Amino acid sequence: MAKPSTALRPGLGETSMAHSHAASMGAPAHTAHAAHDENPNLQHHFYSMDQQLEASVLGMWVFLVTEVMFFGGLFMAYIVYRTMYPTAWIESSHELNVYLGGINTAVLIVSSFTMAMAVRSAQTGWRTGQIFNLIGTMILGSTFLVIKYFEYAAKFTHHLVPGPHFQAPAGMEAIGNQMQIFFALYFIMTGIHAAHMVIGIVLMAVILVMAWRGKFGPHYYTPVEVGGLYWHFVDIVWIFLFPLLYLLGFHGGPGA
Amino acid sequence: MSSSHPITPVSTYLITWISLFILTGFTVYVASQDFGALNTPVALTVAVIKATLVVWFFMGLRYNTPLIKVTAVAGFLWLIIMFGITMSDYISRPWLGVPGR
């Protein structure tokens, strides 16, 4: 591959074609060149930091749309089986712990707040704020997973895990198989959600190292912004899982 | 530098956070009462409001360009289309006596 000729690089080439192309993208040629000198974080294929940030945010959103469809398939299965077996759904939901689920909802909402504050601290260049908020987000995410562990452990103790050891609660033997479908979806949906949490915590650790090194400021905070979008998305999935799995059977009284 | 992405005041994030807390408490309380067929619509309405708050303020979609807004909305729009068409099939099968329900 030959080195690109200067004529194709706005700011260096003086041809009218390169200039008009740059101008049509909203960045005059001379400012594009200046931007590269000013900010070492600006990749060579972008005209400005704004354009680079927008491209990253758009890319993350496109990924999140695929995540919406991914979780959407599971929600679709949930809806189909729920319309088929409404009684089994309510009785199974009754076995979930609404209080632990509610606490976890609150934990995730606080973690979304600390995440938003981490992004804001990056935008204002406040390194201490970035570090504390990122660590806070990781601690809250871990708290969620610990509570989730105790919930899962209770399901194993109560023989509610689908499979050969499943035992329908007393009086529910007739709809036991239908309840197994609910619990299969419960474990798949919350399990994949928890896997996303683990990935999110790892991402936060990577971003924390970058924040520690003072990489973020008003001129460059793309990793925090994009990582934050992911974290908030995982929060949104839980916002829908909580009412659909836990609250569905709550009006019959608190669950197990 | 980042004129397209103004910095959100801390108060906005705080109000969003408290609103999400209140809505969570509300949805748990409402779920403890029995409204019959309205149980799920009420719970889902609250969930949609909470998700919208997160997307609009925490994720900062309100400051993003129209292209990103359209992309974000498209995901949820296609999801609703999938739910709608799939359920129109499953719900109408017993009406027609079609086997396989």
Side-chain angles (χ1 to χ4, degrees), chain A residues 41-97:
Chain A
N41 292 306
L42 181 57
Q43 302 291 311
H44 67 89
H45 47 285
F46 290 115
Y47 288 112
S48 67
M49 292 302 285
D50 274 353
Q51 189 204 22
Q52 178 174 287
L53 178 64
E54 191 194 342
S56 300
V57 171
L58 175 64
M60 194 63 201
W61 267 108
V62 169
F63 169 69
L64 292 185
V65 167
T66 69
E67 290 273 83
V68 167
M69 301 314 289
F70 171 62
F71 279 101
L74 293 168
F75 279 106
M76 188 73 256
Y78 170 98
I79 297 169
V80 167
Y81 281 113
R82 183 175 160 178
T83 52
M84 284 184 186
Y85 311 127
T87 312
W89 243 236
I90 289 177
E91 294 300 335
S92 305
S93 171
H94 197 60
E95 298 294 323
L96 299 182
N97 191 320

Side-chain angles (χ1 to χ4, degrees), chain B residues 18-97:
Chain B
I18 291 165
S19 307
L20 288 168
F21 254 55
I22 293 170
L23 284 167
T24 303
F26 175 75
T27 193
V28 171
Y29 171 73
V30 168
S32 69
Q33 313 296 313
D34 194 356
F35 295 101
L38 282 177
N39 284 338
T40 301
V42 170
L44 279 182
T45 305
V46 175
V48 168
I49 294 170
K50 286 168 71 181
T52 308
L53 285 175
V54 172
V55 169
W56 198 244
F57 293 105
F58 279 167
M59 296 172 92
L61 190 66
R62 62 194 181 131
Y63 289 142
N64 287 140
T65 55
L67 174 63
I68 295 174
K69 283 177 183 159
V70 167
T71 306
V73 171
F76 295 98
L77 185 69
W78 255 253
L79 195 65
I80 292 167
I81 291 171
M82 179 175 75
F83 289 165
I85 293 179
T86 307
M87 289 321 292
S88 69
D89 173 22
Y90 273 99
I91 289 176
S92 60
R93 281 186 198 185
W95 302 347
L96 304 169

Side-chain angles (χ1 to χ4, degrees), chain A residues 180-249:
Chain A
Q180 286 200 58
I181 300 177
F182 175 93
F183 282 105
L185 281 169
Y186 164 79
F187 277 103
I188 293 170
M189 292 171 100
T190 58
I192 289 175
H193 177 266
H196 277 77
M197 296 286 300
V198 173
I199 294 167
I201 291 169
V202 173
L203 283 176
M204 290 311 127
V206 174
I207 294 169
L208 178 64
V209 171
M210 297 169 86
W212 191 273
R213 292 175 179 166
K215 199 163 167 48
F216 304 128
H219 300 294
Y220 181 69
Y221 54 89
T222 307
V224 200
E225 167 89 18
V226 169
L229 290 178
Y230 176 85
W231 191 269
H232 294 308
F233 170 78
V234 177
D235 184 18
I236 289 173
V237 173
W238 185 259
I239 283 174
F240 284 98
L241 286 178
F242 176 59
L244 290 177
L245 294 175
Y246 291 78
L247 295 181
L248 169 65

Side-chain angles (χ1 to χ4, degrees), chain A residues 117-118 120-131 133 216-218:
Chain A
M117 288 303 293
R120 190 181 187 282
S121 305
Q123 288 171 332
T124 56
W126 183 33
R127 180 171 167 269
T128 313
Q130 297 163 27
I131 291 168
N133 280 301
F216 304 128

Side-chain angles (χ1 to χ4, degrees), chain A residues 93-193:
Chain A
S93 171
H94 197 60
E95 298 294 323
L96 299 182
N97 191 320
V98 173
Y99 300 112
L100 288 184
I103 290 169
N104 257 351
T105 308
V107 166
L108 273 194
I109 289 170
V110 181
S111 83
S112 257
F113 173 75
T114 55
M115 187 68 240
M117 288 303 293
V119 174
R120 190 181 187 282
S121 305
Q123 288 171 332
T124 56
W126 183 33
R127 180 171 167 269
T128 313
Q130 297 163 27
I131 291 168
F132 272 87
N133 280 301
L134 285 169
I135 291 175
T137 307
M138 290 167 73
I139 291 173
L140 289 162
S142 307
T143 307
F144 177 95
L145 290 172
V146 169
I147 293 174
K148 203 82 215 128
Y149 162 78
F150 283 111
E151 281 192 69
Y152 276 6
K155 296 295 159 290
F156 276 87
T157 312
H158 298 156
H159 294 283
L160 290 172
V161 180
H165 300 292
F166 182 87
Q167 287 173 14
M172 301 296 160
E173 288 80 6
I175 55 170
N177 283 346
Q178 300 172 7
M179 290 178 77
Q180 286 200 58
I181 300 177
F182 175 93
F183 282 105
L185 281 169
Y186 164 79
F187 277 103
I188 293 170
M189 292 171 100
T190 58
I192 289 175
H193 177 266

